[in-house]
Amino acid sequence: MIREWNEESLDHRNTLLYAMGISEEDAKRPIIGLLNTWNEMNPGHFPFDKELIAEMKKEIYQAGGLALELPISGICDGICSNTPGDRYTLPARDMVSSEVETVAELNMLEGMVMMATCDKVVPGMLMGALRVNIPTVMMTGGYMAAGHYQGRMLTLTHTKQAYAAYIAGDMSEEDYKGIVRNACPTPGACPFMGTANTMCAMAEILGFSPHGAASCRSQTEKWHELARQAARQIMEAWKQEIRPSDILNKSSFENVVRYMMATGGSTNSVLHIPAIARQIGIDITPETFDEISREVPVISTIYPNHPTNTMEEFEMAGGLGAVVKELEKAGKIDASAKGMFGTIAQKAALAKNQNKEVIHPVSNPIHEQGGLAVLHGNIGTDSAIVKFSAVDPAAWKFSGPAKCYDSQDDAWHAILRDEIVAGDVVIIRYEGPKGSPGMPHMETFMAAVLGKGLGSKIALVSDGRFSGATGGLAIGHVSPEAYEGGNLALIRNNDIIHINIEERKLEVDVSEEEFERRKKEFLPIVKPAKGWLSLYRRQCTSAHRGATVYWEKE
């Protein structure tokens, strides 16, 4: 047994189990928690229904365990996009980790199968699992089908671009509503290389989910079989007492970064991977991302890094396993890294690259460097992040006058009114972890930029963050953030900003002496926050260090 019970406490627990119809014999079995994030407001988690739970319970019971379902929060970022609710999405990651820790420790679980798909829930669950450190596997929800309207491929993010075009008079209301109605045709993770699919890939690369789970269409028979496999594997892990700490090391997390660079994964990884690694004392920093970015090229792109390919084309080409195989052949990934389902080498051996136009060999990359860059300069003196695989190379070097806004909402309305023009560098500040608080997405503003055809003609620099589906010259995670007195707060309209992605520079033509003078006049804007958001503001670290309450202060 993983847990140690005394006779009285075990009998006391069992008395309560008997009340729910569990037999005396079944109460002697190891209890495996099915930590389920199913709910009716998240299409990514909607597939974790009673049918799937029954299948997993049956597999676990046949292997000698007793699986009991336990609820965990499962939020969808898209539900609250461009609303005040978006301030809660990143803090929800830490809340989910607390729920996992509490449910596992309070109930003295012998093992866990965690079910999650979406942006903050997958990393939150993994953070909690690493603190608990009992046998754990994860089943992710698979991706949704791509949408189509009038012969055009659609995803959720296209609705925001369409709205900007509709407001500008470039699209009819009928077509705009048609895109809204057809963008998300089935449950599952949005089928682009956003945060959800990046995080599901992370779970598989770290070894918590079955081979192929991160690039499998939701609700298919293949997906159901992977869930059954996960249920069988948790019992093997329990019998052998394999804990997360037995399979994870620094190389495991670096492998995730390598995969992310090869596929142009979400910038939110720079928040989540360091926060997860920190739970077991491993340091992954933005500098880690930048070092690996210089070494691992982009070999596969789907939307927004590619105009039409989605997870459907990616899966048909061989999916995650095929990318791993190409990286392993080129010595760009640590193939000895272990997981609950085998090593990276074993994963590569199971895979085949079916389409080298979708998943390139490392010798024929799409970009010579990885899909993300960490910028430095007198704006982000700690760091700033850009997903340059989604940026037109013509815009990798960009200079222009600053237009400053203290919220995304102000900037969004300004661009809809055509007050922002080609050549501008838009500053959106006080949207960082503490400033907002909660560090919401700046995707609504950037979708409006793309909807107006200005994706390579306007730059955005912000202490907020982005959806993984954001395209265009969008620089986020600026640290220190404006709320904490970072230089971002001191920039004024018409200061000249210089961006050079290849040289990793983000600078403004303001001298240190002028910054010092401006600092004397600085008073932060304090946006209202209550309850959990107020607590998060007081306790969270900077974006440079994961934006989490679970990071011991250095």
Side-chain angles (χ1 to χ4, degrees), residues 155-195:
T155 68
L156 176 65
T157 191
H158 287 97
T159 65
K160 288 183 174 292
Q161 298 172 28
Y163 181 76
Y166 163 56
I167 292 298
D170 298 328
M171 180 179 290
S172 69
E173 180 179 11
E174 180 184 2
D175 284 344
Y176 167 59
K177 296 297 185 180
I179 288 171
V180 170
R181 182 63 188 88
N182 291 282
C184 295
T186 72
C190 296
F192 44 69
M193 191 50 70
T195 308

Side-chain angles (χ1 to χ4, degrees), residues 438-451:
M439 202 179 182
H441 298 92
M442 301 297 102
E443 65 171 331
T444 299
F445 174 80
M446 284 308 299
V449 170
L450 294 172

Side-chain angles (χ1 to χ4, degrees), residues 174-405:
E174 180 184 2
D175 284 344
Y176 167 59
K177 296 297 185 180
I179 288 171
V180 170
R181 182 63 188 88
N182 291 282
C184 295
T186 72
C190 296
F192 44 69
M193 191 50 70
T195 308
N197 282 310
T198 304
M199 292 298 98
C200 291
M202 175 185 70
E204 185 173 336
I205 296 288
L206 288 177
F208 285 97
S209 58
H211 175 71
S215 44
C216 180
R217 167 80 180 273
S218 186
Q219 298 178 305
T220 59
E221 175 50 36
K222 175 184 174 183
W223 180 76
H224 277 269
E225 174 51 34
L226 289 170
R228 294 189 289 267
Q229 184 181 336
R232 293 190 290 270
Q233 192 61 30
I234 188 59
M235 291 308 298
E236 287 300 312
W238 175 78
K239 290 170 185 175
Q240 299 176 42
E241 297 193 11
I242 302 173
R243 303 169 187 262
S245 61
D246 297 326
I247 64 170
L248 295 180
N249 54 35
K250 188 170 185 177
S251 183
S252 306
F253 291 96
E254 289 175 344
N255 277 349
V256 177
V257 179
R258 290 172 181 277
Y259 176 86
M260 191 206 121
M261 292 302 171
T263 54
S266 170
T267 53
N268 283 300
S269 299
V270 187
L271 300 173
H272 299 323
I273 295 171
I276 297 166
R278 188 75 172 185
Q279 306 312 300
I280 51 174
I282 294 172
D283 280 330
I284 300 293
T285 67
E287 290 76 17
T288 307
F289 285 78
D290 200 55
E291 289 168 8
I292 292 174
S293 178
R294 296 172 188 272
E295 179 190 344
V296 178
V298 177
I299 62 171
S300 183
T301 55
I302 65 172
Y303 191 83
N305 310 322
H306 188 279
T308 57
N309 285 350
T310 68
M311 286 295 293
E312 293 178 350
E313 287 76 20
F314 185 65
E315 180 182 15
M316 286 189 292
L320 179 147
V323 172
V324 168
K325 191 177 191 74
E326 296 294 349
L327 293 176
E328 189 236 9
K329 285 194 296 185
K332 297 294 186 182
I333 196 166
D334 181 358
S336 69
K338 299 177 182 178
M340 293 291 177
F341 295 85
T343 64
I344 290 291
Q346 289 169 324
K347 181 179 292 294
L350 291 170
K352 183 178 181 181
N353 187 347
Q354 304 280 5
N355 187 337
K356 293 187 178 180
E357 293 299 313
V358 176
I359 299 172
H360 291 219
V362 172
S363 59
N364 180 32
I366 297 167
H367 297 301
E368 292 292 339
Q369 294 189 3
L372 181 148
V374 180
L375 311 182
H376 295 279
N378 63 351
I379 299 178
T381 53
D382 286 339
S383 60
I385 310 298
V386 63
K387 183 177 179 177
F388 73 88
S389 59
V391 180
D392 185 337
W396 288 2
K397 189 174 182 179
F398 193 100
S399 296
K403 280 193 176 175
C404 301
Y405 301 90

Side-chain angles (χ1 to χ4, degrees), residues 401-404 425 427 429 487-497 508 510 514-515 517-519 521-522:
K403 280 193 176 175
C404 301
V425 178
I427 304 292
R429 56 198 176 192
N487 287 347
L488 189 71
L490 308 177
I491 295 172
R492 296 178 178 174
N493 286 332
N494 296 315
D495 287 345
I496 302 301
I497 311 288
V508 57
V510 176
E514 176 61 15
F515 270 137
R517 190 184 68 78
R518 293 181 187 183
K519 282 178 183 177
E521 302 170 3
F522 169 70

Side-chain angles (χ1 to χ4, degrees), residues 105-156:
E105 298 289 23
L106 183 150
N107 292 296
M108 298 277 281
L109 298 178
E110 291 285 308
M112 299 185 287
V113 180
M114 304 189 301
M115 285 164 277
T117 306
C118 290
D119 301 25
K120 312 306 176 295
V121 191
V122 172
M125 283 189 137
L126 289 173
M127 287 172 69
L130 267 55
R131 294 201 296 271
V132 173
N133 200 33
I134 62 175
T136 300
V137 302
M138 176 171 267
M139 182 59 198
T140 52
Y143 66 85
M144 72 167 61
H148 292 89
Y149 180 70
Q150 294 183 343
R152 177 189 175 192
M153 181 278 291
L154 295 177
T155 68
L156 176 65

